């Protein structure tokens, strides 16, 4: 697993306090991390009290998007806290997570290309990238 995401909604009076935290493994630096949490239908954007990174509220789909450009040794963990009107804790799930990395578990690399009909090996370049397809916290 590359990143652990935890979400703790807590209703207090006429508000729901929500804390979301991330903690990735130290194996990779993660790039373009997006943590997307569904919210109950709201009349106004959530009140974001604390965040490591940037946020955007998608009112059409009622989703709070938390973005972190780079997670490296300087920020191996982070949190976002926000407040919305009272809501059932299940309305904040599933949380979707997207990210990319320039390393993989296997660290497989192409070292040479050999033409089928002989001759000099052609010049080539390579780019290694790990990208999430579907990563959810339910």
């Amino acid at each position: 697993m590359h990143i652990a995401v935890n979400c703790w909604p807590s209703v207090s009076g006429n508000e729901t306090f929500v804390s979301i935290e991330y903690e990735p493994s130290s194996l990779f630096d993660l790039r373009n991390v997006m943590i997307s949490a569904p919210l109950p239908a709201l009349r106004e954007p959530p009140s974001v009290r604390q965040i490591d990174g940037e946020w955007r509220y998608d009112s059409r789909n009622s989703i709070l998007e938390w973005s972190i450009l780079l997670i490296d040794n300087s920020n191996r963990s982070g949190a976002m806290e926000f407040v919305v009107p009272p809501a059932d804790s299940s309305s904040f799930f599933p949380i979707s997570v997207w990210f990319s990395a320039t390393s993989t578990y296997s660290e497989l690399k192409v070292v040479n290309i050999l033409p089928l009909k002989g001759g000099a090996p052609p010049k080539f370049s390579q780019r290694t990238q790990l990208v999430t397809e579907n990563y959810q916290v339910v």
Side-chain angles (χ1 to χ4, degrees), residues 42-120:
L42 301 174
R43 291 187 178 155
E44 296 185 19
S47 173
V48 176
R49 304 269 173 97
Q50 189 273 325
I51 189 164
D52 296 313
E54 302 292 325
W55 68 277
R56 183 179 86 83
Y57 175 58
D58 176 352
S59 60
R60 174 178 281 170
N61 296 306
S62 198
I63 293 174
L64 183 59
E65 297 176 340
W66 175 17
S67 61
I68 306 105
L69 288 177
L70 175 66
I71 298 176
D72 59 14
N73 287 332
S74 70
N75 61 341
R76 284 284 168 212
S77 64
M80 172 174 63
E81 296 175 0
F82 62 92
V83 178
V84 295
D88 184 83
S89 61
S90 65
S91 62
F92 301 101
F93 296 92
I95 295 172
S96 297
V97 183
W98 294 272
F99 59 85
S100 64
T102 56
S103 300
T104 64
Y105 283 114
S106 68
E107 297 197 22
L108 182 68
K109 301 229 183 284
V110 175
V111 294
N112 199 0
I113 297 176
L114 300 175
L116 289 175
K117 296 184 180 185

